[in-house]
Amino acid sequence: MPSVHSSHADVVKRLKRVEGHLRTVITMIEDARPCPEVAQQLAAVEAAIHKAKQTFIRDHVDHCLDGSLKKGPSAAAVLAEFKEIAKYL
């Protein structure tokens, strides 16, 4: 079973709020709300997703990668995994 970290509940909570916010933005577009208002709300959705992603990735680095180094896998393997996940920052 995959490891679940303490931040995962917070990330899920954030993403569920984003999900609701995005539904609201869709309604705004369907209701022909002014473009600047829609753009502002889309920026807010984007920022919220970015923050959730950062929290998720930082948690992975702090717990999984740091923990891996302490358990003995090669530094090269840990560095490779870090490079893989860092491209999503």
Side-chain angles (χ1 to χ4, degrees):
M1 181 173 189
S3 177
V4 176
H5 303 280
S6 61
S7 72
H8 288 186
D10 180 52
V11 170
V12 169
K13 185 174 156 183
R14 287 172 186 262
L15 291 174
K16 286 182 178 186
R17 276 196 308 264
V18 169
E19 181 181 36
H21 195 168
L22 188 55
R23 280 194 299 273
T24 300
V25 173
I26 291 167
T27 300
M28 290 174 73
I29 293 169
E30 292 171 340
D31 293 346
R33 296 280 298 268
C35 291
E37 288 180 23
V38 173
Q40 179 183 27
Q41 293 306 310
L42 283 170
V45 167
E46 184 177 35
I49 290 172
H50 181 75
K51 181 66 176 168
K53 179 179 68 171
Q54 279 185 327
T55 300
F56 186 82
I57 291 171
R58 286 182 179 153
D59 183 70
H60 180 73
V61 170
D62 289 345
H63 295 95
C64 296
L65 297 182
D66 189 43
S68 290
L69 281 174
K70 291 175 184 170
K71 291 177 185 172
S74 75
V78 173
L79 181 59
E81 186 174 344
F82 176 75
K83 287 179 180 180
E84 177 67 23
I85 200 163
K87 69 184 178 184
Y88 298 107
L89 288 174

